[in-house]
Every structure is written in C-alpha cells, then in structure tokens.
Amino acid sequence: MRIVKLTRLLLVSLLGATSAVFAAEPVLHNQWTHWRGPEANGVAREAAPPLTWSETENVRWKIPIAGHGTTTPIVFGDKIFLLTAVDTGRADPSLPKPEEQPKRPFGIIYPNTTYEYIVLCLDRNTGRELWKKIAIEKIPHEGHHGDNSFASASPTTDGERLYAWFGGAGLYCYDLDGELLWKRDLGTVNTRLSFGEGCSPVVYRDRLIVNRDNEDQSTITVLDSKSGKTVWSADRDEPSAWATPLVVEVGGTTQVITNASNRVRSYDLADGSLIWECGGQVGNVIPSPVTNGELVFCLSGYRGSAALAIPLDSTGDLTGSDKIAWSVSRGSPYVPSPLLYDGLLYFNKSNDAIISCIEAQTGKILIGETRLPGVRRIYASPVGAAGRVYFVGRDGDTTVLERGEELKVLATNQLDEGCETSPAIVGKQMFLRGKNHLYCLEEGQ
C-alpha cells in the first residue's frame, strides 16, 4: 500500500517539557500554523467555532490593525501572528508622486513613500499586543493591485520559529518571542501588471519553501529553516502566479507540488529534481493544491476553468493523458483555494458566490454551480469545522453550510467591514481579519 502523509501531520513542537519532536495529532489539530490550517486543506478537525455572529453577538474581542495587510492570521498556542505594512508618509523627493505617474491598469501606482513592514504577535484570548517588530523600512519597488497589499503572504511556524515573507522586502525568521534569528533578501521581481506578490512560504521539518512565479525569472527556492541558507533553487518556466505549494510524503519521497499556468509540477524536496508535471491550468493561478493522500487537486479560474485530479504516484509528463484521474472544465475559483473536507471538495466559481461540491476521489459532481445565499463576492478560501463549511464574503458576510452532498444553509452572518482574507479556526474560536480590524469570534460572548 502506498504510504502518504500530509506535511501538516508532522509539525515540530516545543510544548511543555517535551523536547523537539513531531507533534501528536491532538496537539497539531489545535493549531493553525499555515494559512490553510493544520492539514493544508482548510479543515480544523477538532475545532468548534460559532455558528452565528454579528457585531454584537459572539465577538470575544475586536481590535484595530494598523496599516494594510491581506495575510491570514496564524495561531500557535496562545499566540496569534499576522503581518501588515504601514505607509509612514515619508516621501522620497527623487521619486515621482502618484499624481505625476503614467496611468496604469487598475489604477496601480508605484509608491514614493517608505513603508514599515511589520510582524505582530497578539494574545489569543484578549487580542492584546505581545510584541511588534518592524522587519524593515523600505520604499516598495513596485505597486500592487488594489485588492492586494505589501503584506500579502501569510506567516508560518514550525512551533519553534516564525517565518515572515514580504516578497521584495525580504524574508525574516523570528523565535516566538520576537527575537530575530536570521533574514534573507531574495531580491525583487516584477509581477504581472504590478499586481504584487502573495505566495505564502511553507515550512516542512528543516526546510522552508518559497515559490516566486513572476514576469522576470520565476524560481522555487528551498532554504534551511534554521539558518536561512539556500539548499537548492530551480528556475521555472512560468508567468506570474500566486499559489502556495503543497508538501506531501509519497512512498518515502517528499514532494513539493506547485500549481501554475503552464504546468502543475512536483519536485523532490531533497534535491529539486522534477518528479512529474501536468499542463491544463488557465492563467493567473492563485488556488493552492490540496490532497486526499492518493490524488492532488489543482484548480484555477481566470479566463477559463480547470480542475484536475492527479495521482500522487505519477512520473513524467501527464499532460492530456489518461493518467489524470478526472477533470472538470467549469465553475472553478480564481482567487480562493478549495476546501477538501473528508472526501468532499468544495470551491466557488471565479470570485462569485456560486459553489460546487465534488466527490474528491471520483470527480462526481454532487452540488453543481449553485448560487450561495447571503454572499455575493468571495476572495477568502472556505474553511471547515464541526461538520460545517464556512464561506466568507468580501462584504463581511458569511454563509455557513452543513457539510454534505446537498446544499443546506445553517446560518448567514454579517460584520460591519469587508473581509478579503481567509479565516483561521482554533478550538472554539474563529479569527477573521477585516479591512481594519481582527475579530475573535467565540460562542457565548
């Protein structure tokens, strides 16, 4: 039998008096160390977040977050970590002012002011700031899409170190008390139309993976997580994309799977060699892959639709072959990543509240392109817990479904500000980052 283990089921922990070992599942499942959660698929298996909330119901705390960031918060123990970028207003007179710049698509401007790139640590139970570090002060080398930010890659932790990636502003490693351990400048890149970067780093054992698909030379780089030194780096034939890689162990080999426009690729984490590749995605790829242990599911939805189920034990080029387990060519997401919840694959169409649910192993469509009530537009990736599926809308609304083969709405909720980032769920709490505040939602508050 093929032996496959998700990377998120192996997390280094220093809890209590235990020395650094791979954590047991009960410990792991009470953390949210990666922007897609403990299993990298959006599921918080042991969590029980609230079903309903509003500005006056089930809000344990709500705190303002300075600046602008589109990173999902992560949680380890009683600490929350998130990133933001604050415009200081200090202008460089040698750079053109916004009003003096040529018109660009989407109204994008190149900043002429210095930004503070900030790492925040908050108390999970109160929202109180425990520490704040300015990683760097810098004028960004390019702009970003109005829905993006200069702090768009979610941080990650192995339970001992925190990794904060600001793209062209650098990579920073802290201990969980805020002491800087190392930093790396991986250079600047030019993204499509200056949309900005957004791919989150992934930590696996003693390796840290950074993928950068852009309009210059795209690369994937693997660093030693303790020192920040490069272990290997490989060039990629890809235009700009923003999908965070997935790490999976398959039969003794650790695969790093990247989703992108030209190819989905699997690299050997040990040396960067290519294991398999598969074409078939559309442009501007953002959704991250998910896996059920036998197949990996890769989706994209900009100017077309693609959803492919690829066997993890593949080798070589699978493009257009019968080795692909199944494919769907409609209804797939542009920005949000899919949710894989106990055999059911949930996703929305483009950035709209039109959802589908597929039996992951077979590709059977259970819910096909159905309008979701209570939500209009979606950037956040859906999450699952307590037998429920949560779809968070850009207008601050959330529709909660019962996990199942039919569409059953359990609740619709509304907050006062928009939400572009994906939720984090730990224990009885859900953390939602609005445009100006971070919310901690909990039953009975």
Side-chain angles (χ1 to χ4, degrees):
M1 176 180 290
R2 180 163 64 246
I3 298 175
V4 181
K5 291 185 288 185
L6 290 172
T7 179
R8 296 299 169 238
L9 297 182
L10 293 172
L11 179 68
V12 177
S13 174
L14 293 180
L15 294 178
T18 307
S19 59
V21 295
F22 294 118
E25 287 189 16
V27 174
L28 175 75
H29 285 158
N30 283 300
Q31 317 299 322
W32 192 277
T33 61
H34 176 270
W35 85 278
R36 290 304 282 146
E39 298 177 13
N41 59 9
V43 175
R45 194 162 302 281
E46 295 185 359
L51 172 63
T52 61
W53 61 81
S54 68
E55 289 287 341
T56 58
E57 176 196 8
N58 290 335
V59 177
R60 177 161 182 164
W61 50 259
K62 171 186 176 183
I63 61 165
I65 302 295
H68 184 206
T70 48
T71 65
T72 290
I74 64 167
V75 184
F76 188 84
D78 287 331
K79 293 180 177 179
I80 302 171
F81 304 96
L82 71 161
L83 310 182
T84 189
V86 175
D87 186 353
T88 67
R90 301 195 303 269
D92 183 338
S94 69
L95 297 175
K97 299 177 182 178
E99 61 269 21
E100 297 172 348
Q101 297 181 26
K103 291 185 178 180
R104 300 185 180 93
F106 302 97
I108 293 172
I109 62 168
Y110 282 25
N112 69 332
T113 55
T114 295
Y115 279 71
E116 294 177 340
Y117 293 82
I118 293 173
V119 182
L120 287 173
C121 176
L122 309 176
D123 183 276
R124 171 183 160 188
N125 295 307
T126 64
R128 179 176 61 89
E129 182 180 297
L130 299 178
W131 53 262
K132 167 185 170 182
K133 300 295 178 180
I134 300 175
I136 191 172
E137 293 185 279
K138 183 177 181 179
I139 298 176
H141 73 284
E142 66 173 0
H144 62 71
H145 190 284
D147 297 331
N148 199 357
S149 71
F150 294 122
S152 57
S154 296
T156 190
T157 182
D158 55 15
E160 183 178 2
R161 289 170 289 273
L162 176 74
Y163 305 94
W165 168 236
F166 291 104
L171 175 63
Y172 303 86
C173 175
Y174 298 86
D175 69 18
L176 301 193
D177 293 321
E179 180 182 351
L180 181 66
L181 302 177
W182 56 261
K183 60 183 179 179
R184 283 288 306 271
D185 182 354
L186 299 182
T188 59
V189 298
N190 295 308
T191 57
R192 181 177 187 268
L193 299 178
S194 189
F195 279 176
E197 297 190 67
C199 178
S200 298
V202 178
V203 63
Y204 177 82
R205 295 186 177 178
D206 59 353
R207 295 292 180 260
L208 185 70
I209 303 145
V210 178
N211 198 60
R212 303 183 85 185
D213 290 339
N214 62 90
E215 301 304 293
D216 296 329
Q217 177 58 66
S218 297
T219 58
I220 181 170
T221 302
V222 172
L223 309 174
D224 182 290
S225 62
K226 295 181 180 180
S227 67
K229 295 180 179 179
T230 299
V231 177
W232 59 262
S233 185
D235 290 344
R236 290 166 51 79
D237 178 20
E238 290 293 344
S240 295
W242 296 265
T244 296
L246 173 73
V247 181
V248 190
E249 286 192 6
V250 184
T253 299
T254 305
Q255 297 187 25
V256 180
I257 301 173
T258 60
N259 193 19
S261 299
N262 292 340
R263 290 285 192 273
V264 178
R265 294 180 179 85
S266 172
Y267 299 89
D268 189 326
L269 180 60
D271 57 13
S273 59
L274 190 65
I275 299 173
W276 56 261
E277 60 183 330
C278 185
Q281 297 298 316
V282 295
N284 282 15
V285 175
I286 300 176
S288 300
V290 294
T291 182
N292 67 355
E294 294 186 12
L295 304 172
V296 61
F297 308 99
C298 299
L299 292 77
S300 55
Y302 174 72
R303 294 184 177 177
S305 294
L308 301 178
I310 304 170
L312 286 170
D313 59 0
S314 300
T315 56
D317 191 346
L318 310 177
T319 306
S321 75
D322 59 6
K323 295 180 181 179
I324 298 172
W326 56 260
S327 65
V328 173
S329 58
R330 54 184 297 141
S332 52
Y334 179 18
V335 171
S337 292
L339 166 70
L340 179 60
Y341 193 174
D342 291 346
L344 301 184
L345 186 69
Y346 289 88
F347 53 89
N348 67 293
K349 180 178 181 179
S350 186
N351 297 324
D352 298 321
I354 299 173
I355 70 159
S356 297
C357 176
I358 289 180
E359 189 175 75
Q361 189 66 26
T362 66
K364 178 183 178 181
I365 297 175
L366 304 173
I367 302 172
E369 294 187 67
T370 301
R371 173 68 65 176
L372 189 66
V375 176
R376 294 191 304 117
R377 303 172 300 161
I378 299 174
Y379 270 7
S381 301
V383 295
R388 305 168 189 155
V389 176
Y390 295 77
F391 281 92
V392 178
R394 296 186 64 192
D395 296 327
D397 37 22
T398 299
T399 296
V400 187
L401 306 179
E402 181 181 278
R403 179 205 165 274
E405 299 182 3
E406 298 179 356
L407 185 71
K408 182 178 180 181
V409 176
L410 300 178
T412 56
N413 305 304
Q414 182 69 48
L415 296 175
D416 286 348
E417 61 186 76
C419 183
E420 314 248 308
T421 66
S422 303
I425 304 174
V426 179
K428 295 182 178 180
Q429 298 170 334
M430 174 179 286
F431 301 93
L432 273 180
R433 182 176 186 169
K435 289 191 174 181
N436 301 304
H437 295 83
L438 179 65
Y439 291 80
C440 174
L441 307 173
E442 184 176 350
E443 188 78 30
Q445 304 299 311

